[in-house]
Amino acid sequence: MWSAERIGTSAAWDRFGSKPHPSFEDLVCAVENAVVHTRDSAAQAANKGQLLAYWTVGKMIVVYEQDGSDRAKYGDRTLVKLAKRLTVTLGRGFSRTNLYYMRQFYLTHQIFQTVSGKLFWSHYCELLNVDDDAKRGFYEHETANAGWSVRELRRQMDSMLFERVINAKDSVDAESIKALACEGIAYQRPVDAMKSPVVLEFLDIPDVSAPYEGELQKALLAQIEKFMLELGRGFMFVGSNVRIPVGSDKDYADMVFYCKPLRAYVIIELKTTKFMACAVGQINEYLNYYVTEVNDEYDNPPIGIILCTDKNNVRAEYALGGLNNAIFASTYTLRLPNEEQLIEQVRKTIEANEPKILPVETTIPN
């Protein structure tokens, strides 16, 4: 008879083995859980094995290109020749393009322990198209942290999430960019949940006319999973048009979420116009209500986000300054952002936070 050690100390066996007289339903449930656990473990092991094999192939190619005795004979055609030979002997998966990716895979991860087993080879093929090391590191960690599919990763890269996260921060320096590259979004402060702009291209709203607030809300509810992907990791939908019963008035918050990493409710107010200071008082009231009536003892203070089409940064600074609650104003766009414009905004943000070097006096004042 097989012992518990031989079949593994999985949760399925622990639950089943702890019952002195298990029922047939207990048996079915335990078998299903054990098989699913084994399949998942086997899939993870197979994925890690594939990544290790491709990493090793990449390392071999690099070593050959540097020290191969007959490397001059093949020159730039090394990958072409190798692809033809390996396709004959090993079958599909060893095209010149794939071999090139394996080579780049090793060059960007020369220590295999830096490779994430949560990502598949198809993820890395997308990431290897990113030349910037910091940007590629950010997307790699966010994919592992959030469990993005390849399609979701591609969408986040197309929407320039890295640049939008930087653009939303009040202060940016080399260390904060390095932190994004090394761990992704840390979610330590409310501002870590912000992006500028918020990209809603998935709504497919035509350019003919701007939507009304009700239409925008309805469109977001119809695509709520994509909206939560855009909001960030760990966002859970609580409700729309959530009543805020303050006195005899009937106020309703447009959309309410819960951000698990921050352990905080997030109230979003939708404005299909430019930022107006009057919106701050409204959402501040909602946040005060949540602090008093909704928050549990383990919840952090709620966060308010005003989504608008445009904002004057100076007006927003005055309107949002001096508040006890964390309230942010962010613009949204119904199209993917303009790459050149967003990169220029990020550059200005970084430059504005660089330490200023005072000019050296060239003359001695009298």
Side-chain angles (χ1 to χ4, degrees):
M1 187 173 182
W2 283 27
S3 65
E5 288 77 8
R6 290 193 65 183
I7 66 172
T9 56
S10 66
W13 170 254
D14 290 341
R15 288 193 296 268
F16 184 76
S18 64
K19 297 180 179 181
H21 303 289
S23 67
F24 179 76
E25 290 301 320
D26 292 332
L27 174 62
V28 172
C29 183
V31 171
E32 289 176 346
N33 289 337
V35 171
V36 169
H37 174 78
T38 302
R39 285 177 178 173
D40 290 345
S41 298
Q44 292 173 6
N47 178 55
K48 189 171 183 179
Q50 183 186 47
L51 293 176
L52 177 58
Y54 287 173
W55 179 87
T56 304
V57 171
K59 182 177 182 179
M60 291 174 176
I61 292 172
V62 171
V63 170
Y64 173 80
E65 290 176 338
Q66 293 174 347
D67 302 316
S69 61
D70 57 350
R71 65 187 187 277
K73 177 180 177 182
Y74 297 102
D76 295 338
R77 294 185 57 78
T78 297
L79 295 184
V80 175
K81 289 287 188 180
L82 185 60
K84 289 182 178 180
R85 289 284 295 274
L86 294 180
T87 300
V88 172
T89 57
L90 300 177
R92 299 176 58 185
F94 294 92
S95 65
R96 180 196 174 280
T97 300
N98 224 18
L99 290 174
Y100 172 79
Y101 280 137
M102 294 176 201
R103 179 180 180 276
Q104 294 303 109
F105 186 41
Y106 169 72
L107 289 175
T108 55
H109 299 77
Q110 295 193 23
I111 300 175
F112 183 71
Q113 284 70 20
T114 62
V115 174
S116 173
K118 295 181 179 179
L119 275 63
F120 293 97
W121 177 243
S122 51
H123 286 113
Y124 278 107
C125 288
E126 292 292 330
L127 291 168
L128 292 171
N129 291 316
V130 180
D131 294 329
D132 185 270
D133 291 340
K135 191 185 301 186
R136 184 175 57 253
F138 168 79
Y139 286 120
E140 182 174 352
H141 284 91
E142 277 300 290
T143 301
N145 294 338
W148 290 340
S149 66
V150 174
R151 178 178 294 182
E152 290 169 341
L153 167 62
R154 191 178 298 127
R155 185 267 169 187
Q156 299 290 44
M157 291 168 61
D158 289 343
S159 68
M160 302 182 68
L161 177 62
F162 178 69
E163 287 82 1
R164 293 189 291 122
V165 169
I166 293 176
N167 203 39
K169 294 184 177 297
D170 295 329
S171 60
V172 182
D173 54 23
E175 287 301 315
S176 61
I177 294 177
K178 182 179 179 181
L180 284 174
C182 292
E183 56 184 304
I185 302 174
Y187 287 104
Q188 297 175 342
R189 303 174 299 156
V191 70
D192 293 331
M194 295 302 300
K195 303 166 186 64
S196 180
V198 174
V199 178
L200 307 177
E201 92 293 347
F202 53 85
L203 297 180
D204 291 327
I205 295 177
D207 293 323
V208 178
S209 60
Y212 293 108
E213 290 177 10
E215 294 173 339
L216 179 60
Q217 183 187 48
K218 184 178 180 180
L220 289 171
L221 291 173
Q223 301 280 1
I224 193 63
E225 291 187 1
K226 292 182 178 179
F227 187 38
M228 287 192 292
L229 172 67
E230 168 62 14
L231 290 176
R233 169 167 40 98
F235 270 79
M236 297 178 288
F237 181 56
V238 176
S240 63
N241 295 323
V242 178
R243 187 180 178 187
I244 310 293
V246 179
S248 58
D249 295 332
K250 295 182 180 179
D251 292 326
Y252 297 87
D254 288 340
M255 305 185 83
V256 179
F257 296 84
Y258 190 84
C259 181
K260 190 175 180 181
L262 289 173
R263 290 190 294 114
Y265 286 98
V266 179
I267 300 177
I268 296 179
E269 282 296 292
L270 305 172
K271 303 298 178 184
T272 55
T273 59
K274 65 181 181 179
F275 173 79
M276 301 293 287
C278 58
V280 178
Q282 180 187 40
I283 199 169
N284 194 51
E285 177 186 349
Y286 297 167
L287 295 176
N288 286 332
Y289 172 80
Y290 263 71
V291 169
T292 306
E293 305 292 342
V294 179
N295 266 21
D296 290 326
E297 59 182 11
Y298 52 81
D299 290 325
N300 286 318
I303 302 165
I305 300 176
I306 302 170
L307 284 184
C308 51
T309 58
D310 191 19
K311 71 172 182 177
N312 181 300
N313 289 331
V314 176
R315 166 170 283 186
E317 183 178 347
Y318 280 113
L320 299 173
L323 297 174
N324 293 326
N325 293 314
I327 302 177
F328 303 91
S330 180
T331 59
Y332 68 86
T333 174
L334 299 176
R335 299 291 173 265
L336 291 175
N338 181 284
E339 183 175 358
E340 292 182 0
Q341 292 179 358
L342 187 54
I343 290 177
E344 178 63 16
Q345 290 177 11
V346 170
R347 185 187 65 79
K348 290 181 178 179
T349 301
I350 295 174
E351 287 182 352
N353 289 278
E354 288 179 344
K356 301 297 186 294
I357 301 176
L358 297 177
V360 179
E361 293 287 349
T362 57
T363 58
I364 301 176
N366 294 326

